[in-house]
Amino acid sequence: MNLEALLRSFTVATLATCLAGVLGVGAAALLTRRRSALGDLFDALLTAPMVLPPTVLGYALLRLLSRDGAFGSAWEQGVGAPLLFSPAAAVLAAAIAALPLVLRAARAAIDGVDPRLAAAAATLGATPARVLWSVVLPLARPGIVAGLTLGFARALGEFGITLMIAGNLPGATQTAALAIYDAVQAGRDAEAAGMATLLAALATALLLVATGLGRRRRDGF
Amino acid sequence: MAFSGALEVAIRVDGAVGQRPRLEVELAFERGVTAIVGPSGAGKSTLLSAIAGLVPLSAGHIRLDGAALDDVALGVHTAPHRRGVGLVFQSLALFPHLSVQDNVAYGIADRRRGRDEARDWLRRVRAEHLAERRVPTLSGGEAQRVALARALAARPRVLLLDEPFSALDRPLRAALVADLGGLLRGLDIPTLIVTHELADVAGLAARVVGLVAGGVEADGVGPGAATAMTTPTETR
């Protein structure tokens, strides 16, 4: 059992879920109840990682994050080290994979909040930001937490994008999913089976949690 | 028409393309209670939502004490949170994740005094004993009193009540009408009460406006106006 890779997977998935949570919930709050062509395009772009082949996303990110790309060169100037093939790239890859799940769940949860409650808050003098913070997000919380749980599970199992932009460097960027791939390639079947079983069990448990949270949301307060 | 008052509403709210406007009225409201009656689809709730700034106007203006809250021709629209217009929804729209006291304190500008003021308003609607309760545990009558306290605690310049008695049975309704009368007499603001039951507001409203199909069908002023108004504005 490659415990180091397993621990790295948890760290990467946790950080990625935080990043996807901020971006996904923020985007959901902006997009919900404001239908526009630009908003639909933004939504489609953020949801694309769910349907695009990881190699396509990985290739696009390779170009964007390389030293020649705008984001990659700015990162290297700011941090002093390249972004590609670093632990930060693994976090970014997992966050991009998790983002559509968080966004979709957050949008559904926010859409599900009775608009009359937001209107009532506004007539009581609350600014749109306060309405969002004190009424909409608390009421959407079970759905948002379900989305974050799904996102965490997705980040934990992320493979393709991570391989493309973070590589498979033992001790640096190798996550559990990549370690399983390595173990299979090297014929270490027992190690691969152990880690695969553990990841499958974790993913199933997380999906059960997400389902339970979704049911709580439907049942209301 | 002669057109002046504390609250002036001269608006058109269009419906779907090719259909008649949902609402097209010119009304001026002085301080005191006005009942708005009419059958379903008459535009009563649309009128309240428009005054609260919750539905976009197609044309016209809404002025409060001479200042424009909305003026379509001038491109003026005051956001709901800046209008000082309190609205008690037919559904009440109490926040289910907050306690009764926190619901009432929500609109109180001075947050440091919010708790004490919320208690005070709950006492005035005879609901102080509910302060720590969660909203989903309230009965219809209790929720109605809390919604009223919440709207009043925000110190609105205009108060709008959408079917405030509809969910209550007759004894509860009578008790709330009596309490509401006492509270509203102490307020010197334009107050509009949408109701199906003219009998409920007979002792409260000095004026009754009847809406039918988005327009003003009847407008009666003075004591007894409510009881004098008859069908088609009264439906039940």
Side-chain angles (χ1 to χ4, degrees):
Chain A
M1 184 82 66
N2 188 339
L3 287 178
E4 189 198 6
L6 204 59
L7 184 64
R8 185 171 300 109
S9 273
F10 269 96
T11 309
V12 164
T14 303
L15 293 172
T17 306
C18 292
L19 185 58
V22 171
L23 293 174
V25 176
L30 284 175
L31 292 169
T32 304
R33 292 177 194 146
R34 285 193 199 98
R35 301 281 181 244
S36 70
L38 195 64
D40 288 347
L41 177 65
F42 188 50
D43 184 49
L45 283 173
L46 295 180
T47 309
M50 204 145 80
V51 293
L52 279 176
T55 45
V56 173
L57 267 176
Y59 177 70
L61 287 167
L62 267 179
R63 300 301 301 261
L64 183 71
L65 305 180
S66 75
R67 285 176 170 154
D68 301 331
F71 191 84
S73 64
W75 175 279
E76 193 161 340
Q77 279 183 3
V79 178
L83 176 56
L84 285 177
F85 305 108
S86 71
V91 172
L92 189 62
I96 287 169
L99 183 58
L101 294 168
V102 177
L103 174 65
R104 289 275 143 177
R107 281 196 75 168
I110 291 172
D111 266 334
V113 174
D114 184 346
R116 289 171 296 190
L117 296 174
T123 64
L124 292 167
T127 61
R130 187 177 171 220
V131 173
L132 179 71
W133 191 251
S134 64
V135 175
V136 176
L137 289 182
L139 291 172
R141 190 174 55 203
I144 291 172
V145 173
L148 290 172
T149 308
L150 283 173
F152 182 81
R154 177 68 185 84
L156 201 59
E158 164 48 32
F159 179 85
I161 310 171
T162 310
L163 187 62
M164 293 281 282
I165 69 168
N168 182 11
L169 308 172
T173 63
Q174 189 180 64
T175 57
L178 291 163
I180 292 170
Y181 179 73
D182 255 10
V184 172
Q185 293 285 82
R188 301 193 302 272
D189 279 352
E191 182 184 332
M195 291 184 73
T197 305
L198 188 61
L199 275 189
L202 272 171
T204 307
L206 288 170
L207 288 174
L208 282 172
V209 169
T211 304
L213 288 167
R215 188 174 297 131
R216 190 181 149 201
R217 185 177 137 233
R218 281 192 301 278
D219 293 346
F221 282 78
Chain B
M1 66 182 276
F3 191 70
S4 67
L7 176 66
E8 299 175 15
V9 182
I11 57 172
R12 192 186 79 233
V13 178
D14 287 341
V17 177
Q19 294 190 354
R20 65 165 174 78
R22 283 161 64 194
L23 184 70
E24 189 164 17
V25 294
E26 283 191 17
L27 290 162
F29 302 99
E30 298 299 336
R31 294 167 208 289
V33 179
T34 301
I36 309 291
V37 298
S40 296
K44 307 184 298 293
S45 295
T46 304
L47 174 64
L48 298 198
S49 294
I51 295 170
L54 298 173
V55 295
L57 305 184
S58 306
H61 65 264
I62 297 172
R63 294 195 185 114
L64 181 57
D65 293 327
L69 293 179
D70 293 284
D71 194 321
V72 175
L74 299 176
V76 173
H77 171 67
T78 307
H81 68 280
R82 296 183 198 279
R83 296 167 85 92
V85 175
L87 172 58
V88 177
F89 289 73
Q90 189 174 359
S91 67
L92 304 182
L94 292 172
F95 307 132
H97 60 301
L98 300 181
S99 69
V100 163
Q101 180 170 278
D102 288 343
N103 263 276
V104 178
Y106 190 88
I108 295 172
D110 184 350
R111 302 274 170 84
R112 288 166 305 173
R113 288 192 37 79
R115 213 176 160 78
D116 292 338
E117 274 195 44
R119 287 271 182 178
D120 188 43
W121 280 107
L122 283 169
R123 184 183 52 72
R124 291 194 213 183
V125 299
R126 294 198 289 153
E128 193 178 11
H129 61 289
L130 304 173
E132 304 300 330
R133 291 262 296 273
R134 308 295 293 182
V135 167
T137 68
L138 300 177
S139 69
E142 290 169 340
Q144 195 69 258
R145 288 173 187 276
V146 173
L148 188 61
R150 186 178 70 170
L152 291 170
R155 299 191 182 281
R157 296 190 293 157
V158 174
L159 181 62
L160 311 172
L161 307 171
D162 194 357
E163 304 270 10
F165 316 113
S166 62
L168 309 179
D169 57 29
R170 210 158 275 284
L172 270 176
R173 196 179 283 205
L176 188 63
V177 168
D179 287 349
L180 188 59
L183 281 166
L184 296 182
R185 270 188 285 279
L187 292 175
D188 189 28
I189 59 173
T191 301
L192 276 59
I193 302 179
V194 161
T195 182
H196 270 96
E197 296 272 0
L198 277 175
D200 285 338
V201 295
L204 288 177
R207 177 184 173 197
V208 180
V209 172
L211 295 183
V212 174
V216 177
E217 179 77 6
D219 193 343
V221 181
T227 47
M229 192 160 288
T230 55
T231 52
T233 53
E234 188 172 16
T235 56
R236 291 192 297 195

